[in-house]
Amino acid sequence: MLMTEARRYSAVAMIFHWAIAVLVIWNWRLAENAEHASRAEATAIFADHKAIGITILVLTLGRLVWRLTHKWPPLPSNYAGWERVLARVTHVVFYVLLIGLPLGGWLANSFNGREIEYFGLFTIPALPVGENEGLGETIYDAHKLGGQIIIYLVALHILGALKHTFIDKDGGIFRMLPFGRVGKAR
């Protein structure tokens, strides 16, 4: 039996997914570019990195609210037990990182007495935590590690989607796209 449209995510879920995916990869590239830039260039790059991080936070919270209030498609019946567990764990870790990384970045900035400029449109004030540069640097280090972890998780996620689409031939990637054939479950 072919999977029906009910096996696809909703258009809103797809928009959240792809917008967040693009922003996460873009933000990772910004951080990587800042590492090799002059101090002045790095400051400008990190200003964009911070604003995009806040955007990721807002979109992720929106996506989480959407997910909790709307039905999402079940995992295909052909998934092995380990694939089901890995899919669920991966999604939970994604949400933790997509919320925790921006909050951690904002907290680290706050400990260093910095506000966040949101693309020159408005300023997001520092959290009321007082200044503690040492703790701010420790949180920055954890933030950087979390950024590396999320990129590895993105790669794992992409490999899983490709495996399901081209090896299992169950159209896995098309569950999150408005086109293509969500194939037969084996």
Side-chain angles (χ1 to χ4, degrees), residues 20-54:
I20 292 167
V22 167
L23 290 173
V24 164
I25 292 168
W26 182 11
N27 227 18
W28 166 64
R29 290 306 311 146
L30 284 175
E32 290 293 312
N33 290 340
E35 296 259 336
H36 308 289
S38 69
R39 187 164 179 82
E41 290 172 325
T43 299
I45 292 169
F46 273 122
D48 287 343
H49 176 82
K50 294 171 191 179
I52 291 170
I54 294 298

Side-chain angles (χ1 to χ4, degrees), residues 71-152:
K71 188 175 176 163
W72 64 87
L75 291 173
S77 61
N78 64 312
Y79 281 24
W82 68 268
E83 290 173 311
R84 291 177 176 284
V85 170
L86 187 59
R88 296 289 183 225
V89 169
T90 299
H91 280 99
V92 168
V93 174
F94 263 131
Y95 279 113
V96 167
L97 290 171
L98 290 169
I99 293 169
L101 284 170
L103 286 178
W106 187 8
L107 184 61
N109 274 279
S110 298
F111 277 123
N112 286 306
R114 295 189 202 115
E115 300 172 323
I116 296 174
E117 288 296 320
Y118 191 80
F119 299 116
L121 300 173
F122 55 87
T123 301
I124 299 168
L127 296 167
V129 293
E131 289 193 30
N132 183 334
E133 288 185 24
L135 185 53
E137 291 306 313
T138 299
I139 294 170
Y140 277 134
D141 290 342
H143 178 83
K144 184 176 180 178
L145 177 61
Q148 293 168 337
I149 291 169
I150 202 167
I151 291 304
Y152 290 124

